[in-house]
Amino acid sequence: MLKATALDSTRLGEQITDMVDQESPDAAIIIPVNARCDLCRVVDLLEDIARYDGPDRFQILLVVNNYDPDHPPTEHLELYSRLGVQTVAVTELPGDSRISPALRARMLALPYTNTRACIFFDADCRIPDPGRCLGWYCQSFRDPDVMLAYTKVGYYNWPDRLPVQLWLAVHYGWRAFKRNCLRVPTPRGSSYAIDRNLKQRLFEDGYLADETALGRLVKGFGYRSSYTRAKSCRVLTDGRVFQRARVHRLFTKYAFRRLKINVNNLIIRQDAARYTGRKGQESHKVDGQVTEGLAATSQEQSPAKTR
C-alpha cells in the first residue's frame, strides 16, 4: 500500500509544483530509487524537499530502478507524476557492475538536467531544514568557480549500542582527518552537489567509479569545493543497516573493505573500476541503446544540451 495515496498527494504536489522549474532551474535534485525498498521511503524525502520556502527553483528527478519488467511499480510512478516529479525508470542499471549501483543510477539522470548544479540525495535521507540546506547549495553554485559542494551527514535510526557508537566515532574521525589534514574533500552520496559536466567527464573518462573518490578527483584536477558543517544544513541518512551489524565484522571485514576503498581512491586512475573490489566486465559508458530505455513518467524528453 502506498504511503501517500491521498496522502494528500494533491497538497504535496502543489507544494512541489511551487518550487519546480523544469526548464531553467537553479539546481537539479537527483535521487536514485531502488524499487525493492525505496518506493515509499522517497516520499518522506519529497515531503522534506517540499517544505523549502526560498526563492530558488529546482528540477527534481527520480531514477527508479531494479524492478521486475513484468510488474513495474506503476502505482508509484503515477504518484510521482502527480507530484510533479520527473522519473527515469529502468528495470536494471546498465553499465559495469564494478561501479557502485547508486553512481550508475545517478549518471542516468544527468542528460536530462537543465542546469550545471546537480544535488544528490539518497532515497532514505531526511532533510531537517530544507530551506537552509537547499538554499546553501544554490548559493554555493552561484560562484562559477565552485565545482563541488557538500554538507555534513548524520544518521537517524542509529542503534544505541556501544560498539556501533565507537564505529561511528572512527568513521567521523577518519573523515575529519582526510578533510583537515590531507585537505581532501569528503562528500558522500547522501548529500553533495557537483557540476554536471565535470561529473560526466570524470565518469566517461574512467576516473570515477565510486563516489568516495569525488573529493580526491576534484582536488587532484585543481577544482574548488565548498563544505559546511552547519547543523542547519545537515542531512540525515538511515542507519538501519547497522541495526543488526555484527561487531566483529564492523572492525574487521567491513573496516578493511572501507579502508581499501579509501586508500585506492587517494590515487587518481583512469581505470578506477578495476579497484572498487566489485566484480563485472561490461563497459560503464551510457550509450544510445541504454538511453532509449529511459522513460519520463509525464512525457518523453530529449537530453539537455551541454551548457
Side-chain angles (χ1 to χ4, degrees), residues 37 60 81 91 96 117 135 175 194 202 256 265 271:
C37 56
I60 304 176
S81 181
T91 55
D96 191 337
R175 290 174 63 80
I194 191 170
L202 292 173
F256 282 118
N265 287 339
D271 56 349

Side-chain angles (χ1 to χ4, degrees), residues 15 26 71 96 123 133 165 189 206 235 241 265 285:
Q15 289 177 305
D26 295 284
H71 301 91
D96 191 337
C133 179
Q165 298 290 349
V235 171
V241 294
N265 287 339
K285 292 188 177 182

Side-chain angles (χ1 to χ4, degrees), residues 155-174:
Y155 289 90
Y156 67 96
N157 284 342
W158 188 258
D160 189 20
R161 296 161 51 199
L162 181 58
V164 184
Q165 298 290 349
L166 289 174
W167 169 256
L168 185 62
V170 171
H171 169 73
Y172 282 144
W174 166 247

Side-chain angles (χ1 to χ4, degrees), residues 199-265:
K199 187 172 187 181
Q200 191 75 51
R201 289 200 307 271
L202 292 173
F203 184 77
E204 290 180 349
D205 290 347
Y207 292 106
L208 180 62
D210 192 291
E211 283 164 307
T212 55
L214 269 175
R216 178 70 183 94
L217 291 171
V218 169
K219 180 188 177 183
F221 285 112
Y223 296 108
R224 276 187 55 195
S225 63
S226 180
Y227 169 64
T228 178
R229 295 181 58 189
K231 189 174 181 179
S232 58
C233 295
R234 183 181 57 164
V235 171
L236 304 178
T237 190
D238 197 342
R240 68 184 185 279
V241 294
F242 291 94
Q243 293 286 353
R244 297 181 180 179
R246 297 179 182 179
V247 176
H248 68 281
R249 288 196 172 187
L250 269 181
F251 290 95
T252 53
K253 185 177 180 179
Y254 182 74
F256 282 118
R257 183 168 69 88
R258 296 306 304 172
L259 180 61
K260 182 179 179 181
I261 290 173
N262 276 276
V263 170
N264 282 333
N265 287 339

Side-chain angles (χ1 to χ4, degrees), residues 8-275:
D8 247 0
S9 67
T10 305
R11 175 189 58 80
L12 184 56
E14 289 174 352
Q15 289 177 305
I16 291 178
T17 300
D18 288 342
M19 62 178 293
V20 162
D21 182 346
Q22 308 287 17
E23 300 302 320
S24 54
D26 295 284
I29 299 173
I30 297 173
I31 307 166
V33 179
N34 185 333
R36 307 276 178 177
C37 56
D38 292 331
L39 289 171
C40 291
R41 286 194 184 101
V42 74
V43 178
D44 291 327
L45 177 57
L46 291 175
E47 287 180 328
D48 289 344
I49 292 171
R51 290 190 287 110
Y52 175 79
D53 57 359
D56 302 299
R57 292 297 173 261
F58 300 88
Q59 180 182 12
I60 304 176
L61 298 107
L62 305 183
V63 184
V64 180
N65 62 88
N66 193 26
Y67 59 85
D68 185 344
D70 296 326
H71 301 91
T74 307
E75 191 178 1
H76 291 84
L77 294 176
E78 290 175 352
L79 170 64
Y80 303 150
S81 181
R82 290 199 303 273
L83 295 178
V85 174
Q86 293 174 272
T87 357
V88 175
V90 290
T91 55
E92 294 183 10
L93 290 172
D96 191 337
S97 58
R98 295 174 299 182
I99 297 171
S100 73
L103 175 57
R104 284 184 283 150
R106 291 180 175 109
M107 295 307 300
L108 286 178
L110 282 193
Y112 292 84
T113 58
N114 294 314
T115 176
R116 84 175 186 97
C118 293
I119 306 171
F120 299 92
F121 299 116
D122 286 337
D124 60 0
C125 284
R126 303 304 306 268
I127 309 174
D129 191 340
R132 294 290 184 87
C133 179
L134 297 178
W136 179 82
Y137 274 127
C138 291
Q139 181 63 37
S140 296
F141 270 81
R142 289 192 181 97
D143 182 343
D145 293 330
V146 170
M147 292 290 169
L148 172 70
Y150 61 107
T151 71
K152 186 174 183 179
V153 174
Y155 289 90
Y156 67 96
N157 284 342
W158 188 258
D160 189 20
R161 296 161 51 199
L162 181 58
V164 184
Q165 298 290 349
L166 289 174
W167 169 256
L168 185 62
V170 171
H171 169 73
Y172 282 144
W174 166 247
R175 290 174 63 80
F177 173 76
K178 275 182 70 177
R179 190 170 54 248
N180 299 319
C181 298
L182 302 182
R183 300 296 180 185
V184 175
T186 57
R188 51 176 298 172
S190 308
S191 177
Y192 75 93
I194 191 170
D195 179 89
R196 174 190 61 190
N197 295 334
L198 174 60
K199 187 172 187 181
Q200 191 75 51
R201 289 200 307 271
L202 292 173
F203 184 77
E204 290 180 349
D205 290 347
Y207 292 106
L208 180 62
D210 192 291
E211 283 164 307
T212 55
L214 269 175
R216 178 70 183 94
L217 291 171
V218 169
K219 180 188 177 183
F221 285 112
Y223 296 108
R224 276 187 55 195
S225 63
S226 180
Y227 169 64
T228 178
R229 295 181 58 189
K231 189 174 181 179
S232 58
C233 295
R234 183 181 57 164
V235 171
L236 304 178
T237 190
D238 197 342
R240 68 184 185 279
V241 294
F242 291 94
Q243 293 286 353
R244 297 181 180 179
R246 297 179 182 179
V247 176
H248 68 281
R249 288 196 172 187
L250 269 181
F251 290 95
T252 53
K253 185 177 180 179
Y254 182 74
F256 282 118
R257 183 168 69 88
R258 296 306 304 172
L259 180 61
K260 182 179 179 181
I261 290 173
N262 276 276
V263 170
N264 282 333
N265 287 339
L266 291 176
I267 304 170
I268 295 178
R269 299 182 174 96
Q270 204 163 357
D271 56 349
R274 290 180 55 192
Y275 300 91

